[in-house]
């Protein structure tokens, strides 16, 4: 424990280094969507790691695929346990440029904030992990457990190759626990410890009836594909949000007692949320615990867009030749995307809609770490010590490639971090809060300590 005190003090005394290295990282644009600065940023991350005492190398699958920066430190006193930090060095495009108060890649500091694309997502988070390891190495000459870094460059475009990297370098990446790339801190300065992510299945259903649009007077004899598609889509889900596809929920397990205990204690500001979106009630008029259950463990069938015929100004009497709908299904643990696709297929056929074409864009399974796993209490206790209080969230309502890690590496995966909830990530004027960067660095130090011992 004396070690831990020394290390936390080191973080306090070396905040300037953290801030200036984050600025350096922000000033190197790395927009994966445009392949801008990816190679340069990967090299910069490897260099920063080396400077911090972490041995680093750049891993590649093949040309044209963003490299992964791998970092490693072996523990002298405890080589038996390994923690892995997953982060990404790529960022979202900075557009629209004119809505930024400063240059998007400026790293400008105002008060407690560092501005710039990637300042929070994910360069700020990455630097807290690097600095925590550096603090241990420089203050004590060792780390409490082995540490590995996997820093990818395609997260913001959907992590297309993370699976392949994890499979190819499975041995190299083997570990006993994964700290996820981000974690939110709420408006009351409480970090939210995330134990899961939902999966996603994105499909397009379409129906073409004729080879060209027709005069709508012909609707008496030519079938309208928009009606056909509406009827088909209408069989997928009831008005309460329940998905009507046979066996859709077959493998899904109910919440455990410890899940429910956590859900019950999780805060959710119903009135604030409704006001924020200008809505009067939720799906199926959900209230209280039902809302929290849905956010953490509800599957969805959402119409993301529906196109057919004429939707421009004024009137046009047309009979469209084609109709198309894009649907995203959020998946929960135990739902396997491939299996769900074949269920959707079977459903449409059995309801007499075998003529509807299905195109699958993307499928990724959900992941969740058991709240009773010891890794969870190690992270929770660390966060409580540094932040005073923290919140456990059994699953994020969104999707990320967490399943690839829990499934391929067979390790529990927890998200915790320094991202202020309203840090404008993916938007103009993204920033990171310096106080949270410092606290998170300390929190990561505590996690290393507890995990290693
Ligand atoms: Zn992002």
């Amino acid at each position: 424990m004396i070690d831990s005190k020394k290390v936390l003090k080191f973080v306090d005394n070396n905040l300037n280094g953290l801030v200036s290295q984050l600025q350096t990282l922000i000033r190197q644009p790395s927009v994966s969507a445009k392949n801008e600065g990816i190679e340069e940023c990967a090299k910069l991350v490897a260099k920063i790691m080396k400077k911090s005492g972490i041995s680093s190398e750049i891993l590649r699958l093949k040309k044209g695929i963003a490299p992964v920066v791998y970092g490693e430190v072996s523990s002298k006193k405890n080589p038996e346990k390994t923690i892995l930090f997953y982060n990404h060095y790529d960022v979202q495009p900075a557009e629209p440029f004119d809505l930024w108060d400063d240059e998007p890649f400026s790293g400008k500091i105002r008060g407690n904030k560092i501005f710039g694309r990637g300042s929070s997502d994910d360069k700020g988070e990455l630097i807290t992990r690097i600095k925590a390891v550096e603090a241990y190495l420089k203050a004590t000459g060792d780390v409490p457990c082995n540490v590995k870094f996997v820093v990818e460059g395609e997260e913001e475009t959907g992590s297309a190759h993370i699976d392949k990297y994890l499979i190819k370098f499975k041995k190299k990446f083997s570990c006993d626990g994964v700290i996820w790339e981000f974690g939110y801190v709420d408006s009351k300065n409480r970090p939210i410890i995330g134990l899961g992510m939902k999966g996603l299945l994105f499909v397009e259903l379409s129906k073409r009836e004729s080879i060209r649009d027709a005069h709508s007077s012909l609707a008496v004899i030519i079938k309208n594909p928009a009606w056909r598609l509406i009827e088909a889509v209408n069989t997928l889900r009831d008005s309460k949000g329940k998905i009507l596809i046979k066996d859709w929920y077959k493998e899904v397990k109910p919440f455990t007692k410890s899940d429910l205990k956590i859900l019950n204690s999780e805060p959710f500001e119903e009135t604030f949320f409704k006001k924020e979106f200008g809505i009067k009630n939720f799906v199926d008029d959900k209230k209280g615990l039902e809302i929290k259950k849905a956010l953490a463990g509800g599957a969805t069938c959402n119409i993301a867009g529906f196109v057919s015929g004429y939707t421009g100004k004024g009137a046009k009497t047309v009979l469209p030749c084609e109709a198309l709908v894009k649907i995203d299904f959020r998946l929960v643990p135990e739902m396997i995307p491939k299996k769900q696709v074949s269920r959707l297929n079977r459903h449409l056929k059995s309801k007499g809609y075998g003529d509807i074409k299905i195109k699958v864009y993307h499928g990724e399974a959900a992941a969740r770490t058991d709240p009773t796993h010891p890794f969870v209490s190690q992270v929770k206790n660390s966060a409580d010590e540094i932040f005073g209080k923290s919140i456990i969230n059994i699953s994020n309502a969104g999707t990320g490639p967490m399943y690839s890690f829990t499934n391929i590496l067979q390790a529990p995966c927890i998200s915790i971090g320094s991202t202020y909830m309203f840090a404008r990530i993916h938007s103009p004027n993204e920033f990171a809060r310096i106080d949270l960067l410092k606290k998170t660095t300390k929190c990561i130090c505590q996690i290393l300590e507890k995990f290693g011992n």
Side-chain angles (χ1 to χ4, degrees), residues 88 92 121 155-156 425-426:
H88 61 93
Q92 283 279 323
D121 177 15
E155 197 274 344
E156 298 293 4
I425 62 171
H426 293 206

Side-chain angles (χ1 to χ4, degrees), residues 55 62 68 83 131 233 247-248 251 266 407:
S55 71
K62 62 175 182 197
V68 159
I83 200 164
K131 286 291 156 184
V233 168
D247 293 338
W248 195 256
E251 291 85 8
E266 230 174 69
N407 182 48

